[in-house]
Amino acid sequence: MDDGYLQRVPRADDTLKTLTLVVYALQALSLFVGVTAIVGIIINYLKRDEAAGTEWQSHFAWQIRTFWWALIGFAVSWPLTLLLGLGVVTGFAVWVWYVYRIVRGFLAFNDRRPLPQ
């Protein structure tokens, strides 16, 4: 029965696009609720093979690198805060870098541009 509407079947690319956006949102939310970045990295790793060879591959790699470098940066900043107080400065620098990576990634996502590898 044709009701005049075309049924749109989601493509794998549509799913990857949505997941890319979801991970950027989870990373942004993690600035306030840290655990959401963990959910995002799990999504990245579970869907990374599906993203290979698509326009979203560079975004997945960008998101994965952003997560791990930020985690390392915060892990180094924490003991520096306890020992020297210097960790406040380094932690803030990591936070600013993390915000930059999320914003730059989202803007490239919005323009459908790949990110550097």
Side-chain angles (χ1 to χ4, degrees), residues 92-103:
F92 181 71
V94 171
W95 186 86
V96 168
W97 175 85
Y98 188 65
V99 170
Y100 161 78
R101 297 275 295 194
I102 295 167
V103 170

Side-chain angles (χ1 to χ4, degrees), residues 27 61-71 97-98 101:
Q27 286 182 333
W62 180 268
Q63 291 168 335
I64 289 169
R65 284 191 316 270
T66 299
F67 173 85
W68 288 114
W69 282 112
L71 183 64
W97 175 85
Y98 188 65
R101 297 275 295 194

Side-chain angles (χ1 to χ4, degrees), residues 66-97:
T66 299
F67 173 85
W68 288 114
W69 282 112
L71 183 64
I72 291 167
F74 286 125
V76 168
S77 295
W78 178 250
L80 288 176
T81 300
L82 296 175
L83 296 174
L84 307 170
L86 178 65
V88 174
V89 174
T90 59
F92 181 71
V94 171
W95 186 86
V96 168
W97 175 85

Side-chain angles (χ1 to χ4, degrees), residues 3-58:
D3 58 3
Y5 294 99
L6 293 176
Q7 297 262 337
R8 184 171 183 274
V9 177
R11 298 183 335 231
D13 189 56
D14 292 339
T15 301
L16 290 171
K17 178 182 177 186
T18 300
L19 286 175
T20 303
L21 179 60
V22 165
V23 172
Y24 281 125
L26 288 169
Q27 286 182 333
L29 186 59
S30 75
L31 294 165
F32 309 101
V33 185
V35 297
T36 59
I38 296 169
V39 176
I41 196 73
I42 291 169
I43 291 170
N44 281 142
Y45 278 113
L46 288 176
K47 295 296 187 173
R48 182 168 59 170
D49 289 342
E50 290 177 39
T54 70
E55 68 181 295
W56 309 113
Q57 178 179 359
S58 69

